Amino acid sequence: MRWFLILFSSFGLPFFLSCETIHPISLGSIYADSALNLDRNPVIVIHGMGGAKILEKGTDKVVWGAFTRDSVSFASSKGQQDLALPVWKGKFLGIEDDTYPCCPIEQINVELAGLQFSVDIYRRIMQTLGVGKYHLVLNPNVPVYKRGCSCFSFFYDWRKDIAENAIRLGKFLEEKAQFVRNQRRWAGLPDKEVKFDIVAHSMGGLVARYLLRYGTKDVLQEKNPKITWAGSKWIGRLFLVGTPNLGSTDALRALILGEEFGFFLPNVEPTLLATFPSMYQLLPSPSLDIFRDDKGRPLSIDIYSLDFWRKNHLGVFHPDQKE
């Protein structure tokens, strides 16, 4: 069936949109055969940058992940300070702050002019896995394997160092592997080595890739760390979704100009982003030749040099930025 929609522009001139009838895809029929296989690898879903809620210790108010009157106002000085990590004279202190990550953001709740609405983030991914008979494990005491395979959601503090989060992921997989072995025995399935299929979005892919390459060893201080594939003992398949394997110019732009999330949400200033170690790890790789002048000729710019930022008054060195 083909149909035409006539619209009128602000100038009173009609324009035409030719559209095909859209038929919804039946995910159930696509996954019908594989959903019957209880011997599949369990799945781990890993969110990306900004994908986990950050709560305030003591009050459990949402610092990041909701923008309502019940959450800490991100537009306020307190909200900005709560989300920032401890830094002193340009050095990351590596100490615990007054916030903690609690769970992945499936939906963001926003309140605007007294009206509340929600924006889907990762909920549809979880719903799709549910159609394939992957059941999200929320209570480890409830058996799931006779209804389908296990699915876990790994959340982490996306502000912090990628290696630190990869080490946490390794411990998480070790714990969940034991859980899956117990579930398989309960379901009458043969005992075997447990490996996970990981679906990782954005920065989450870098966390998973680090674990796959180096395991739970921190190699960031090594000049040429050896890739050992130590994480392969846990990982069967790794699906990277929008992962900046060679860095991202978006991270560079955000550290210079800040980040905007929409007209109804407050901006994140460069001074705040500069307190996140992960932002520097998301910068474009030094191996990339990405800078050009107005004639297309390569420019020698070292974005990893503090002098470059200070000399050009960029990011935290811009006069408009507050300490």
Side-chain angles (χ1 to χ4, degrees), residues 281-315:
Q281 295 171 326
L282 290 171
L283 286 172
S285 168
S287 64
L288 296 179
D289 187 16
I290 62 174
F291 297 104
R292 295 286 190 275
D293 64 14
D294 57 356
K295 298 186 182 300
R297 295 172 298 199
L299 290 173
S300 179
I301 295 178
D302 183 6
I303 60 173
Y304 291 93
S305 168
L306 189 62
D307 290 338
F308 166 75
W309 293 78
R310 183 184 288 114
K311 178 181 177 181
N312 292 283
H313 307 290
L314 298 176

Side-chain angles (χ1 to χ4, degrees), residues 152-214:
F152 305 91
S153 184
F154 173 72
F155 63 90
Y156 60 95
D157 194 331
W158 40 269
R159 302 169 297 176
K160 294 185 177 181
D161 177 73
I162 288 175
E164 177 183 341
N165 285 311
I167 293 170
R168 285 193 60 245
L169 175 59
K171 295 177 180 177
F172 178 86
L173 295 183
E174 189 66 48
E175 174 188 318
K176 299 311 175 188
Q178 183 58 52
F179 169 84
V180 171
R181 282 192 289 268
N182 293 338
Q183 287 279 303
R184 289 177 59 85
R185 283 195 291 268
W186 180 85
L189 296 172
D191 193 17
K192 69 172 187 177
E193 179 186 27
V194 176
K195 290 198 174 187
F196 298 91
D197 292 343
I198 296 180
V199 180
H201 174 237
S202 186
M203 176 185 165
L206 298 180
V207 173
R209 192 189 70 175
Y210 182 103
L211 178 69
L212 179 62
R213 285 180 162 184
Y214 307 111

Side-chain angles (χ1 to χ4, degrees), residues 37-152:
N37 179 17
L38 297 183
D39 206 24
R40 296 172 291 171
N41 290 344
V43 167
I44 306 288
V45 178
I46 306 179
H47 61 79
M49 185 72 174
K53 283 186 179 180
I54 304 294
L55 303 188
E56 184 180 56
K57 292 179 181 177
T59 66
D60 286 340
K61 283 191 173 183
V62 178
V63 176
W64 176 264
F67 302 92
T68 66
R69 67 183 65 184
D70 296 326
S71 60
V72 176
S73 174
F74 186 67
S76 68
S77 176
K78 181 184 185 315
Q80 300 267 329
Q81 290 175 2
D82 280 352
L83 193 59
L85 292 178
V87 176
W88 177 251
K89 293 185 177 180
K91 294 184 178 181
F92 299 109
L93 299 182
I95 60 177
E96 292 298 319
D97 62 333
D98 294 328
T99 60
Y100 67 97
C102 79
C103 58
I105 301 174
E106 292 192 7
Q107 270 188 333
I108 287 184
N109 296 318
V110 179
E111 186 171 343
L112 181 64
L115 300 176
Q116 288 199 13
F117 57 95
S118 300
V119 180
D120 280 348
I121 304 298
Y122 290 107
R123 188 171 67 167
R124 291 187 180 180
I125 293 178
M126 305 310 297
Q127 288 175 338
T128 301
L129 288 168
V131 172
K133 298 299 182 184
Y134 286 100
H135 294 279
L136 181 63
V137 177
L138 298 175
N139 184 348
N141 297 317
V142 177
V144 298
Y145 247 79
K146 284 199 172 181
R147 295 183 288 121
C149 288
S150 297
C151 174
F152 305 91

